[in-house]
Amino acid sequence: MRELIVDPGGGSRGNPGPAGYGAVVTDAAPGEPGETPAERAESAEPTERAEPGERAGRPDPSRSEAPHKGRGELRAQPEPAGSPPTTSSPPTTGSGPTTESPPTTDSPRNVAQPPPDLSTPTTFVLLRHGETPLTSQKRFSGSGGSDPVLSDAGRHQAERVASELAARGTVQAIASSPLTRCRETAEIVAAALGLGVRIEDGLRETDFGAWEGLTFAEVRERHPDDMNAWLGSADAAPTGGGESFETVARRVTRARDDLLAAYASRTVLLVSHVTPIKTLVRLALGAPPESLYRMEVSAASLSAVAYYADGNASVRLLNDTSALS
């Protein structure tokens, strides 16, 4: 799996929110393989990183908490007790008996809705691996390439994140992509937390086929038609038998479901790559595939999604790099 260290194309990106929390990228650059249009691939560390700001008083996104009141308000509420059903009035005539129409109820509003799930959610803290030598070169780096190791900078990033997560003390288990850069990152964190690492194949990066190791500009020059198709459809695969984003979404969904079943109501660190992390966020939001182009996931950044027993999910954090500052 190679890091789409592609941040080609330039173009304006939305800035992360305060201190990197809830950062959502807008105005994605059409010529970027891993970060805006193409940061489905592993993109390089962005040139502009979210300002960490004051860390005191920030919520801990990895903490498993019951949802706030607003969650329940998103659903249809049952009719208040004591409200009578609406009935139609009988016709009135000058003489003779009147026939009453049967009462009619007014709508599904009177059908009791299930209450929101207030139990402890399962929380996935999503950590993208640290930088590799390919990151600064902005090259496609997926699961079908050279499987690079962490660079010195990447190991330092992993150590900083490990210290941050150890201080929070909320992570109870760790799962990782099988690719070397993720396993190295996960092992550094696991040593700091005193935990083992579960290898989960579904968390590996996209296979970029013949594009592995190339820059975005090189792919555009050599395979322009394939590149245009890939940027325009989640069903299009890279040249040479790579994976489409739809294919990746299916295996990420299976991995998510397996992990939810294995770690119900616990907080789990998932060490993965740009495309799987964006896909988990997209699925939690119920957003279309093109939303992948509107998110940024930096090297060694943290994101978080909470999953509830009633099937709902809540995105709590996206692209937080404050641990690196």
Side-chain angles (χ1 to χ4, degrees):
M1 165 174 345
R2 305 174 92 177
E3 277 225 325
L4 174 54
I5 322 160
V6 216
D7 196 353
S12 61
R13 259 188 216 137
N15 291 322
Y21 286 83
V24 177
V25 175
T26 58
D27 298 326
E32 201 159 9
E35 300 198 22
T36 25
E39 192 188 301
R40 312 164 168 192
E42 292 272 66
S43 66
E45 180 78 359
T47 54
E48 293 185 9
R49 185 177 289 159
E51 291 298 325
E54 292 296 327
R55 300 179 58 185
R58 283 188 183 163
D60 179 355
S62 65
R63 192 174 303 282
S64 298
E65 299 172 343
H68 57 71
K69 181 180 178 182
R71 242 181 102 68
E73 294 173 349
L74 295 177
R75 304 183 184 168
Q77 299 299 312
E79 192 76 52
S83 297
T86 303
T87 57
S88 57
S89 302
T92 303
T93 59
S95 62
T98 60
T99 303
E100 293 190 1
S101 300
T104 58
T105 56
D106 213 341
S107 77
R109 292 186 4 159
N110 284 323
V111 177
Q113 299 296 315
D117 174 29
L118 299 179
S119 62
T120 302
T122 304
T123 300
F124 288 168
V125 180
L126 311 174
L127 170 61
R128 183 188 167 194
H129 61 80
E131 293 181 5
T132 76
L134 294 178
T135 303
S136 61
Q137 299 176 30
K138 302 180 183 295
R139 295 183 180 277
F140 280 91
S141 182
S143 58
S146 63
D147 193 16
V149 300
L150 293 178
S151 63
D152 289 342
R155 282 188 289 274
H156 178 67
Q157 290 171 333
E159 290 166 357
R160 297 294 297 272
V161 174
S163 296
E164 172 72 14
L165 292 174
R168 294 180 183 179
T170 53
V171 171
Q172 298 167 289
I174 301 175
S176 171
S177 157
L179 298 184
T180 301
R181 53 197 182 271
C182 282
R183 286 192 290 104
E184 289 182 339
T185 301
E187 287 162 5
I188 290 172
V189 177
L193 273 59
L195 297 171
V197 178
R198 166 176 171 162
I199 300 301
E200 184 64 48
D201 185 68
L203 297 178
R204 60 184 168 81
E205 181 58 292
T206 306
D207 182 346
F208 292 110
W211 301 355
E212 295 278 2
L214 302 178
T215 65
F216 185 86
E218 288 169 341
V219 174
R220 173 72 81 185
E221 179 181 355
R222 300 179 194 185
H223 309 285
D225 293 338
D226 290 348
M227 172 63 78
N228 289 336
W230 182 70
L231 293 174
S233 172
D235 292 316
T239 308
E243 291 180 294
S244 70
F245 286 137
E246 182 56 38
T247 299
V248 175
R250 286 195 292 270
R251 66 171 164 81
V252 168
T253 298
R254 289 193 296 270
R256 177 201 65 189
D257 293 346
D258 289 345
L259 291 166
L260 286 173
Y263 299 105
S265 301
R266 301 175 72 186
T267 297
V268 187
L269 180 71
L270 306 188
V271 185
S272 189
H273 311 260
V274 168
T275 308
I277 290 173
K278 285 185 173 186
T279 299
L280 287 167
V281 171
R282 175 182 80 78
L283 294 173
L285 293 172
E290 54 266 28
S291 64
L292 295 175
Y293 307 152
R294 305 286 180 167
M295 289 181 262
E296 180 172 342
V297 177
S298 305
S301 65
L302 291 167
S303 303
V305 180
Y307 299 88
Y308 297 86
D310 60 7
N312 284 308
S314 175
V315 175
R316 295 188 169 182
L317 187 68
L318 179 63
N319 199 39
D320 176 21
T321 57
S322 61
L324 307 179
S325 60

